[in-house]
Amino acid sequence: MSCFFLIFFDIILIGDRMEKSSYKKSCLTGIIAILVYMIVPDIAIPVLKMFNIDYYSLSLAFKILFIIISELLTLSILILIYSKDFSKDFSDLKNNWKKYADKYIKYWIIVLFIMAISNSLITYFTGSQTSANEEAVRNLMQKVPLYMFLSSVFYAPVCEELIFRKSLKKIIPIKWLFIMISGLIFGGLHVLTGFSGVKDLLYLIPYCTPGFVLAYAYQDTDNILVSISIHFIHNFILVILQYLIYFL
């Protein structure tokens, strides 16, 4: 408990050292973006209810249609919120992409190694082949492959980086605290989605590891397009490998 208060006190001190109005504005922007991410994807259910339509009784095709609409709406609002930063970040990425690639490809390879080793150890000691979240994702990949490809490769990297990296950093300006909380929340939400038992908590290791590295990349470069690019490449390769396993 005392550690919590020390962390909270540090955040307040940093907020005091920054221009108060600037910090408040930054923090408010981050909070609004997170609320958009949390609320908008579920907006279809109450909207349909207004027209006496039960979302849960719809066919899979209609459910996917409403999910796509809500994801596009979420993404559009988040991009609008942070639109001013994209021009600066694009220019920086254009000028420094070789430097960023040389540095972060090495980190990404380390992430893959840690994920592979930790997943192997979890499987060996628990007998569980995949986490509940991973199992749910694989099932959807088989049922709606095109949607899952687009959502995993395009929607998730942009949306998740804008939330778990850019928005959280606006709220938590302390470097290593931001990296730790960003990675833990990112990994934790992936694990808790479809949580089926205590053993699923072991998957925090492979899920949090990329979260830590992506947070470090954003903290290090102050360019959200860098972490989005890494996330995109990571998801693209893993999704393609999954599809090759399923459909070949």
Side-chain angles (χ1 to χ4, degrees):
M1 184 63 73
S2 60
C3 290
F4 171 80
F5 283 115
L6 284 173
I7 291 170
F8 184 70
F9 185 66
D10 283 341
I11 293 175
I12 292 174
L13 285 178
I14 286 186
D16 286 339
R17 285 197 294 269
M18 298 170 65
E19 271 186 48
K20 286 188 178 181
S21 60
S22 175
Y23 177 74
K24 286 179 181 178
K25 183 179 179 181
S26 175
C27 188
L28 182 61
T29 301
I31 291 171
I32 290 172
I34 291 171
L35 288 175
V36 167
Y37 177 75
M38 293 171 63
I39 294 170
V40 173
D42 294 325
I43 209 167
I45 298 175
V47 168
L48 289 173
K49 219 168 192 178
M50 292 169 60
F51 296 95
N52 295 318
I53 300 173
D54 182 12
Y55 171 83
Y56 298 102
S57 65
L58 295 175
S59 66
L60 180 61
F62 275 107
K63 286 180 180 177
I64 294 300
L65 175 61
F66 280 108
I67 291 172
I68 290 172
I69 292 171
S70 66
E71 288 184 344
L72 287 174
L73 181 58
T74 302
L75 196 56
S76 299
I77 296 172
L78 291 178
I79 289 174
L80 183 62
I81 290 173
Y82 292 121
S83 58
K84 291 182 180 179
D85 295 337
F86 281 108
S87 177
K88 171 185 71 69
D89 289 351
F90 180 78
S91 177
D92 175 59
L93 185 63
K94 183 180 177 181
N95 294 328
N96 297 294
W97 70 270
K98 288 184 179 180
K99 179 181 73 174
Y100 293 150
D102 287 344
K103 182 174 184 177
Y104 296 112
I105 283 175
K106 297 172 187 175
Y107 291 157
W108 178 67
I109 292 172
I110 294 172
V111 165
L112 291 182
F113 179 77
I114 293 173
M115 291 179 71
I117 294 298
S118 59
N119 276 317
S120 297
L121 290 173
I122 292 169
T123 298
Y124 178 78
F125 286 109
T126 68
S128 175
Q129 296 299 314
T130 59
S131 67
N133 176 70
E134 181 66 21
E135 191 63 34
V137 169
R138 290 183 180 183
N139 288 335
L140 282 173
M141 281 182 172
Q142 293 177 329
K143 292 178 180 177
V144 281
L146 179 58
Y147 161 72
M148 286 303 293
F149 177 82
L150 294 174
S151 182
S152 300
V153 175
F154 295 101
Y155 172 76
V158 178
C159 196
E160 291 178 358
E161 291 310 304
L162 289 177
I163 294 301
F164 298 118
R165 255 55 76 180
K166 194 167 187 68
S167 297
L168 279 180
K169 189 170 184 287
K170 286 184 175 295
I171 300 169
I172 309 170
I174 303 172
K175 178 179 178 180
W176 291 109
L177 181 61
F178 156 68
I179 292 172
M180 291 300 297
I181 290 179
S182 174
L184 287 172
I185 293 177
F186 176 79
L189 288 178
H190 280 78
V191 170
L192 293 175
T193 302
F195 184 76
S196 62
V198 177
K199 69 179 181 181
D200 275 351
L201 294 177
L202 294 171
Y203 287 98
L204 284 171
I205 300 170
Y207 278 114
C208 288
T209 300
F212 293 138
V213 171
L214 289 167
Y216 172 76
Y218 178 52
Q219 174 68 47
D220 190 44
T221 62
D222 194 32
N223 187 333
I224 198 61
L225 293 180
V226 173
S227 61
I228 287 175
S229 299
I230 299 169
H231 200 153
F232 166 81
I233 293 168
H234 178 82
N235 282 16
F236 178 80
I237 291 175
L238 292 186
V239 168
I240 291 298
L241 288 175
Q242 289 285 1
Y243 283 157
L244 289 174
I245 292 170
Y246 291 143
F247 300 114
L248 291 184

